[in-house]
Amino acid sequence: MNNSCQTRRMYGHDYAVPGTYEVTIVVAGRRPVFGEIVGTTKAGGEPPHLKPSVLGQTVLDGEIAKIHHYYPQVDIWQVCLMPDHLHLIVRINKPLPKGKHLGIIIGAFKGGISRAWWKLDTTVSVASAADSRPPLFEPNYNDHILMRDGQLENWKHYLRDNPRRYMMRREFPDLFQRALCVTIDGVRYSAFGNMLLLRQPEKHQVFFHRRTDGVPTEDTGLWQNESRRLMAAAKSGDVLVTPGISECEKRIKKMALEQGLRLIHVQADPIGQYWKPERSRFEACAYGTLLILAPWPEDMPAFTSDYARFHYLNHLAERVCAVSHTTDVAVRGLRPAHGG
């Protein structure tokens, strides 16, 4: 397998030398060939977990172990098998043999699982030409290089929590919507979360400059008064809207998430087909208190400074606040959010 079979996060990085990686491999068409998530997030029930299919059990019992067998320089530190994709935390302990790298290892791993699947699928002849067999996986794979302090532990926790998040989306489907195109006042957004928050009658923009009269705004009486007003409105059921860029905006956003208050977060980072937020925002979506909006990059101007970007996103937040039950909001590509 050549390097074109890898979706790299760091060009120029040597994937043959010691390092730690989180690798994600996705089944073509998101077919749930590895099993199903069972259990519940509700108190007293069996915690969510994967009930593996025959293929899923084959992956867990045999295919994963083959990686270390054929490449003793490599250990698999953690596995998260989900119905339609899998995550691995891969540790390369020693330099790989000449001509080998992470892409070669993952390519062979995917090939082994594919062969096991073809054997189980009676509609596919294993003896047929390789190019005539249906692909099991999407092309390529995704990797994160785990280099920063705490990054490895964050990923371990994320993977352990994956079945619970998956089940939360199933148990609360109306609160986990993903829309690839929501048009508000001529601007296109991708969105994730509770779309009904757009129609709430009372929405308040959270907008603070970084400094007021030369003083950090968080040290002023303006912050004290406005923060009390905004939090009181949110506790009464109103919706706060903010990109959360300045320090004071970040503080309000953080308090809203921690206290389970209604929030629309306008972010610059795009929301793709499989994107999902980090845990605090994810759980807010599960409780129906959060909607995340991301303007399409094509609809955003070219910013000449961070200051211009700050004002543009706050301008969008102001426009979102103006959405009412009579506003024409076009939504296309609405679907339940995928598992992580």
Side-chain angles (χ1 to χ4, degrees):
M1 174 180 289
N2 61 31
N3 290 346
S4 65
C5 295
Q6 179 176 1
T7 302
R8 290 182 178 239
R9 290 283 175 153
M10 183 178 291
Y11 288 93
H13 177 76
D14 188 347
Y15 284 83
V17 301
T20 307
Y21 307 89
E22 184 280 324
V23 171
T24 302
I25 304 169
V26 179
V27 175
R30 286 277 182 166
R31 291 165 292 177
V33 297
F34 295 134
E36 62 176 327
I37 300 296
V38 298
T40 180
T41 64
K42 299 170 184 176
E46 185 180 23
H49 61 280
L50 181 77
K51 180 180 179 181
S53 64
V54 175
L55 179 61
Q57 200 65 55
T58 299
V59 172
L60 295 172
D61 292 344
E63 296 302 324
I64 290 171
K66 290 180 181 179
I67 294 177
H68 181 73
H69 175 77
Y70 289 109
Y71 295 94
Q73 306 90 344
V74 178
D75 287 326
I76 304 302
W77 280 0
Q78 190 161 331
V79 177
C80 176
L81 188 64
M82 298 294 285
D84 57 9
H85 66 284
L86 62 96
H87 302 275
L88 302 173
I89 294 182
V90 181
R91 173 63 189 176
I92 300 177
N93 295 303
K94 297 179 180 179
L96 294 171
K98 185 177 180 180
K100 304 297 183 181
H101 54 73
L102 182 64
I104 296 287
I105 294 171
I106 299 303
F109 175 63
K110 290 171 66 176
I113 299 174
S114 295
R115 287 189 290 274
W117 178 60
W118 292 330
K119 289 178 182 178
L120 292 169
D121 189 344
T122 58
T123 65
V124 178
S125 171
V126 178
S128 62
D131 58 4
S132 68
R133 300 171 190 156
L136 175 59
F137 294 107
E138 289 186 354
N140 310 325
Y141 66 92
N142 187 271
D143 76 87
H144 292 83
I145 306 172
L146 307 186
M147 300 169 56
R148 300 190 304 273
D149 290 344
Q151 196 176 14
L152 174 60
E153 288 306 313
N154 287 342
W155 269 104
K156 285 182 176 180
H157 176 80
Y158 178 88
L159 299 188
R160 287 193 297 268
D161 199 42
N162 221 0
R164 185 186 69 89
R165 294 194 308 272
Y166 181 100
M167 186 57 71
M168 287 177 72
R169 282 190 289 271
R170 181 186 296 176
E171 291 176 342
F172 306 101
D174 292 340
L175 307 182
F176 276 111
Q177 298 288 351
R178 183 194 310 274
L180 300 182
C181 183
V182 178
T183 304
I184 302 172
D185 197 16
V187 177
R188 294 171 296 180
Y189 300 82
S190 47
F192 186 102
N194 184 1
M195 302 290 175
L196 297 178
L197 294 182
L198 282 172
R199 296 300 189 185
Q200 291 298 312
E202 295 292 338
K203 295 187 285 292
H204 303 265
Q205 182 183 8
V206 179
F207 176 36
F208 293 92
H209 287 280
R210 290 184 171 90
R211 303 181 73 84
T212 300
D213 296 329
V215 179
T217 300
E218 59 269 26
D219 296 333
T220 66
L222 171 67
W223 157 249
Q224 298 295 332
N225 294 332
E226 276 297 285
S227 61
R228 282 195 292 266
R229 180 187 71 82
L230 290 166
M231 294 304 292
K235 289 175 182 177
S236 73
D238 295 352
V239 179
L240 303 180
V241 184
T242 184
I245 297 175
S246 70
E247 176 60 30
C248 291
E249 291 170 7
K250 289 177 182 176
R251 289 187 183 189
I252 294 289
K253 185 185 79 169
K254 184 173 185 289
M255 287 190 288
L257 290 172
E258 290 176 344
Q259 298 179 36
L261 305 176
R262 293 173 172 179
L263 175 70
I264 296 177
H265 182 210
V266 181
Q267 68 176 36
D269 295 336
I271 295 174
Q273 186 176 2
Y274 302 126
W275 179 93
K276 53 198 159 304
E278 76 289 348
R279 181 167 184 166
S280 62
R281 291 193 297 164
F282 182 94
E283 294 193 342
C285 290
Y287 296 128
T289 58
L290 178 64
L291 173 64
I292 304 168
L293 294 174
W296 280 24
E298 298 90 335
D299 289 358
M300 294 179 69
F303 300 115
T304 57
S305 66
D306 288 341
Y307 185 78
R309 174 177 169 273
F310 166 80
H311 274 281
Y312 179 75
L313 290 175
N314 272 292
H315 171 64
L316 293 184
E318 181 181 18
R319 294 163 76 171
V320 170
C321 284
V323 172
S324 70
H325 69 282
T326 60
T327 304
D328 183 18
V329 178
V331 180
R332 298 197 300 276
L334 186 65
R335 66 192 70 179
H338 282 284

